[in-house]
Amino acid sequence: MTDGFQMSWNVKLSDAPIQVGSIVINSISSLSRQGGSHTHSLPNAPSLADLDQDTDEDQPHFDSRNAIFELDPCNGNGKVCLVYKISKPGEVMRDPDIWFLDRALYWHFITHTFIAYYRLLLCHLGLPQWHYVFTSYGLSPQAKQWMNMYKPITFNTASLSEEVDSYVNKLDPNKIFKSKNKTPLTKKKLPPLPAGTQKMNPASTKHPSHTGITTRK
């Protein structure tokens, strides 16, 4: 779709914009190869291949075993690289892995495909030093502050799995919507009448009969 990608976003602190996030993917012309040649023109000058450690065969190497290209300079905090494996001289594997090279020239694996890395890049919003999440020594204190502010759940994934009960709604719907039992109304009993009295009919007192009554003038 596009040849490279670059986007940055700012926040306003004390009425001044400060750049926080930066998402960079180098264009094809900017994919510079790492460790392919000597850093100086002198024939005996040291190169990155001289710093390779053969203790781990799975990690990238600056010699002829890998073809490494810079994908993101990470604002000087390291480099994200496309790492191609060379199985035979002149034969390069088609699908590269994505590795992060820190400033001490140690490799840290991120993911196997570029699509997966692109999703991680968007998920972390290009926050400063977010690639150090995949290292053994983690984020710097400043990077932790930005993560806690803009990506708290992503940053606290480990604590979220350990303290999952604190994020769960503990309300019991059975108790909330439980119907209340209405207490039946009890009729009050009248006190007993004294002995020798008769119970009067209320209907007879309301409409007295005037049959057979004559009046004199």
Side-chain angles (χ1 to χ4, degrees):
M1 296 295 293
T2 59
D3 185 10
F5 180 76
Q6 183 175 1
M7 183 187 73
S8 61
W9 56 276
N10 306 329
V11 296
K12 182 179 288 187
L13 295 177
S14 301
D15 295 332
I18 298 177
Q19 179 177 329
V20 178
S22 177
I23 300 176
V24 177
I25 296 175
N26 284 338
S27 61
I28 295 177
S29 60
S30 301
L31 291 177
S32 59
R33 186 167 182 176
Q34 304 295 307
S37 60
H38 294 288
T39 56
H40 302 283
S41 59
L42 296 176
N44 295 326
S47 64
L48 292 175
D50 298 326
L51 303 176
D52 270 341
Q53 299 178 1
D54 294 332
T55 56
D56 190 359
E57 289 294 332
D58 294 332
Q59 73 176 9
H61 299 277
F62 292 107
D63 54 15
S64 59
R65 287 172 286 183
N66 295 108
I68 304 172
F69 298 91
E70 180 183 312
L71 187 64
D72 182 3
C74 302
N75 291 327
N77 296 314
K79 294 181 179 181
V80 176
C81 297
L82 293 169
V83 178
Y84 292 86
K85 292 182 180 180
I86 301 177
S87 57
K88 298 179 182 179
E91 183 178 348
V92 181
M93 301 296 291
R94 180 177 180 181
D95 298 325
D97 293 335
I98 311 297
W99 288 73
F100 175 64
L101 181 66
D102 63 16
R103 299 183 64 179
L105 299 180
Y106 286 101
W107 289 103
H108 308 277
F109 177 75
I110 297 182
T111 184
H112 286 290
T113 62
F114 173 78
I115 296 298
Y117 170 75
Y118 185 71
R119 292 173 178 172
L120 288 172
L121 182 62
L122 297 179
C123 179
H124 288 86
L125 305 176
L127 290 172
Q129 305 176 13
W130 71 269
H131 306 90
Y132 282 86
V133 174
F134 298 90
T135 64
S136 59
Y137 29 86
L139 299 170
S140 64
Q142 182 181 2
K144 288 181 180 179
Q145 292 180 358
W146 291 120
M147 279 284 185
N148 282 323
M149 185 176 298
Y150 293 102
K151 295 294 293 181
I153 297 179
T154 303
F155 176 66
N156 298 317
T157 305
S159 61
L160 178 62
S161 60
E162 295 175 358
E163 303 176 1
V164 66
D165 293 338
S166 61
Y167 294 89
V168 176
N169 188 356
K170 297 182 180 180
L171 296 177
D172 189 359
N174 295 325
K175 294 182 180 180
I176 296 176
F177 300 102
K178 185 177 180 180
S179 60
K180 296 182 180 180
N181 295 327
K182 295 182 179 181
T183 56
L185 296 176
T186 56
K187 295 182 179 180
K188 294 183 179 180
K189 294 183 179 181
L190 297 176
L193 296 175
T197 60
Q198 294 181 356
K199 187 177 181 180
M200 297 180 61
N201 187 5
S204 62
T205 59
K206 290 182 181 180
H207 304 285
S209 175
H210 299 281
T211 305
I213 300 177
T214 58
T215 58
R216 292 183 181 180
K217 295 184 179 179

